[in-house]
Amino acid sequence: MMNNLLIAEQMIERLAIADFQIHERITVDFDQVTTLTGDSGTGKSGILRCLRWLMLNRPNGDSFVRKGASATKVALTVDEKKILREKGKGINRYRFDGGDFKAFGAAAVPDPIAAHLNVSEASFQ
């Protein structure tokens, strides 16, 4: 049995971030309880924003792409399935379970991904 964070009955196992806010490259492995610690300005809130962006397609725009980078890429492993979210010049998509899904503006997360994640805005309160 894997020991990972349980959210909405799903097991979040790993988050890999590339070029999101101040994070050039970072991987977070989750356990039953995962605590983010660090000095102010080190990116703890950025990790939570990154999760929200991948899970809810919010915030809109591309202001979260790391300064100097052309795109951001985030991979989240939930219940042994990887969800990839990419945004940059000419790229705005999700990849999941063999499918390639486009994402535009404030559009909802594609249905197969939303069903797998089973989260809502209330999950981030």
Side-chain angles (χ1 to χ4, degrees), residues 51-103:
L51 282 168
R52 185 172 181 263
W53 176 65
L54 183 141
M55 293 178 162
L56 300 174
N57 197 25
R58 291 185 190 93
N60 297 324
D62 59 3
S63 63
F64 46 80
V65 176
R66 189 177 62 83
K67 187 175 180 177
S70 60
T72 186
K73 184 186 284 189
V74 178
L76 181 67
T77 305
V78 178
D79 284 349
E80 299 181 3
K81 288 190 174 189
K82 186 184 278 190
I83 301 163
L84 179 67
R85 179 75 172 97
E86 296 176 279
K87 174 109 188 221
K89 188 174 182 173
I91 302 169
N92 191 8
R93 69 176 165 226
Y94 284 89
R95 288 189 175 172
F96 174 69
D97 216 14
D100 195 19
F101 303 90
K102 303 285 184 220

Side-chain angles (χ1 to χ4, degrees), residues 6-64:
L6 179 67
I7 293 184
E9 299 185 19
Q10 301 290 52
M11 299 300 286
I12 296 178
E13 298 157 17
R14 173 175 276 190
L15 175 67
I17 300 171
D19 296 322
F20 190 95
Q21 292 189 325
I22 69 165
H23 298 290
E24 184 175 358
R25 298 267 185 277
I26 187 171
T27 300
V28 179
D29 289 311
F30 291 87
D31 207 336
Q32 285 182 336
V33 175
T34 300
T35 304
L36 302 175
T37 63
D39 293 335
S40 181
T42 57
K44 300 177 301 292
S45 295
I47 290 170
L48 297 176
R49 281 187 209 102
C50 182
L51 282 168
R52 185 172 181 263
W53 176 65
L54 183 141
M55 293 178 162
L56 300 174
N57 197 25
R58 291 185 190 93
N60 297 324
D62 59 3
S63 63
F64 46 80

